Amino acid sequence: MLIKKRPDLAEHQVTDETLYHARRDFLARCGHLTCLSLFGGLLGCGDEASSATQTPQWLSDQLAQAQPPQPAFTTDETRTPFEDVTRYNNFYEFGSDKGDPARHSDRFKPHPWSVVVEGACQKPGRYALEDLVKPHRLEERIYRLRCVEAWSMVVPWVGLPLASLLRRFEPDSRARFVRFETLFDPQQMPGQAATFAAIDYPYVEGLRIDEAMHPLAFIAVGLYGKPLPAQNGAPLRLVVPWKYGFKSIKSIVRIEFVETQPLTTWERSAPSEYGFYANVNPAVDHPRWSQKSERRLPGSLFSPRVIPTRPFNGYEEVASLYSGMDLRRLF
Ligand code: MTE
């Protein structure tokens, strides 16, 4: 997302430039990985160990019993194939090339896992994943995912409403925002160990409390009926379908109820390019590219499926959350 794009460049030229930078990044990281492998013996490439094999039985059982999507939470648009959803990722903790998260996450351990809940609520504490997920009947939701980079997918997530989870911690009246944090563990996440990391870690995101409580906001623990792969944010991630994908923070380890708007990773990194609200909005271009349309995946470089981008990514029912706000200024 930090790659400079000149407005006079065609899409395929931009892709080339992205790949160019990503490759340089990747080579730099590989040098670093080699050192860690030699001295620490912890990291390596090429074996078939997979985070999916560590899935606990209770989670497999719950995924198997997930409810089909309710009409309000699905779409008849063609689902993006599993291979594309799990091979074309943004998860900078594993590298900035779209293939890096799948390539470099095979040693990532999503189990056991716990999440610290703190701040303005009655039930703070450290909660095991099992305690967070088990009380909920999982459900499928087929959502569009629109990245700020102007590509999009349709993903069948499995999980639980964010509001149902948050209510269990009994947030009080001081809780005006919710702040989320991703795991920081450079031994498992090689992108965090890179000498020149693309962004500051841990990755931080946030929502206003009413956004977080909206029925569309979702916590995913699976996709395509399977446990969430590491590259998609195992074992639990946020999915906020009306916002650009960078709001949907992965591999969450901390949830904090706060009084003031949290400073989020991309806003901190480039405030003129990435705002806190980040609602999908075709009327507000990114300073370096248009947001009027998107490339629906899969598609090839030579026959991209370009479709118009819709306000709030087509989830207009959230518009009332922003009545009276200038969404050009609060982008
Ligand atoms: N969460 C963390 N921790 N690190 C990241 O780099 N990338 C974001 C978001 N969540 C990111 C993250 C971006 S830019 C997008 S578009 C989505 O994850 C992509 O989700 P996907 O790879 O499952 O499609």
Side-chain angles (χ1 to χ4, degrees):
M1 301 201 332
L2 288 171
I3 309 304
K4 296 279 180 232
K5 177 186 170 188
R6 294 202 318 266
D8 54 334
L9 286 178
E11 177 71 22
H12 68 276
Q13 292 170 299
V14 174
T15 306
D16 288 349
E17 190 188 2
T18 307
L19 285 173
Y20 164 72
H21 284 288
R23 281 202 193 99
R24 282 200 330 180
D25 251 40
F26 175 69
L27 290 173
R29 255 194 334 279
C30 262
H32 191 87
L33 280 181
T34 310
C35 290
L36 281 180
S37 312
L38 284 175
F39 295 110
L42 290 168
L43 295 163
C45 308
D47 78 17
E48 293 302 311
S50 153
S51 55
T53 58
Q54 303 154 6
T55 306
Q57 192 58 44
W58 65 265
L59 183 53
S60 304
D61 292 347
Q62 262 186 284
L63 287 164
Q65 288 157 18
Q67 285 178 309
Q70 292 174 26
F73 303 124
T74 189
T75 168
D76 53 15
E77 288 163 81
T78 308
R79 297 185 299 172
T80 304
F82 180 81
E83 289 66 32
D84 298 278
V85 174
T86 58
R87 293 276 175 271
Y88 189 94
N89 299 102
N90 273 338
F91 200 170
Y92 276 59
E93 284 84 339
F94 295 107
S96 58
D97 182 75
K98 295 289 183 277
D100 282 346
R103 263 197 298 275
H104 301 309
S105 60
D106 54 354
R107 296 296 175 98
F108 182 71
K109 291 207 183 325
H111 305 287
W113 192 269
S114 62
V115 176
V116 170
V117 177
E118 58 190 2
C121 67
Q122 299 306 307
K123 301 237 167 97
R126 179 182 286 276
Y127 292 84
L129 182 70
E130 191 170 346
D131 299 329
L132 294 177
V133 177
K134 253 190 166 174
H136 301 267
R137 172 93 192 259
L138 298 183
E139 56 183 286
E140 187 170 52
R141 294 209 175 173
I142 306 181
Y143 279 162
R144 292 176 288 277
L145 172 79
R146 169 51 158 95
C147 179
V148 74
E149 296 164 339
W151 53 264
S152 64
M153 297 188 187
V154 176
V155 184
W157 303 105
V158 185
L160 50 132
L162 176 62
S164 314
L165 181 68
L166 296 183
R167 281 200 194 98
R168 287 174 47 204
F169 311 125
E170 299 178 17
D172 63 37
S173 58
R174 295 166 303 151
R176 293 185 53 237
F177 295 87
V178 193
R179 181 183 180 279
F180 302 88
E181 220 176 86
T182 293
L183 177 71
F184 180 75
D185 184 351
Q187 291 204 328
Q188 290 196 74
M189 297 176 138
Q192 292 177 333
T195 318
F196 301 104
I199 48 178
D200 285 341
Y201 298 108
Y203 194 100
V204 171
E205 257 311 331
L207 294 171
R208 225 171 49 193
I209 193 82
D210 57 341
E211 297 180 311
M213 293 299 183
H214 192 279
L216 282 167
F218 198 59
I219 288 284
V221 296
L223 58 82
Y224 270 101
K226 303 174 205 257
L228 210 55
Q231 60 268 33
N232 294 92
L236 80 168
R237 68 167 295 169
L238 192 60
V239 182
V240 195
W242 70 94
K243 291 179 180 281
Y244 291 121
F246 66 86
K247 297 296 289 183
S248 293
I249 182 172
K250 299 177 171 181
S251 305
I252 296 167
V253 290
R254 188 175 298 274
I255 299 175
E256 192 180 355
F257 296 97
V258 292
E259 287 183 71
T260 51
Q261 184 175 306
L263 182 59
T264 56
T265 292
W266 285 103
E267 196 190 0
R268 178 195 190 117
S269 155
S272 60
E273 303 188 14
Y274 310 107
F276 174 81
Y277 282 95
N279 292 315
V280 175
N281 190 347
V284 176
D285 286 342
H286 185 280
R288 292 184 278 123
W289 58 84
S290 165
Q291 294 292 22
K292 289 185 179 53
S293 63
E294 63 204 54
R295 205 164 35 90
R296 176 60 54 84
L297 299 180
S300 74
L301 210 54
F302 301 106
S303 63
R305 280 202 294 157
V306 178
I307 57 173
T309 288
R310 294 153 70 188
F312 301 112
N313 201 19
Y315 299 97
E316 277 96 346
E317 62 265 45
V318 300
S320 60
L321 291 173
Y322 309 104
S323 52
M325 281 174 59
D326 177 359
L327 294 182
R328 286 188 168 273
R329 196 172 60 80
L330 296 166
F331 57 89

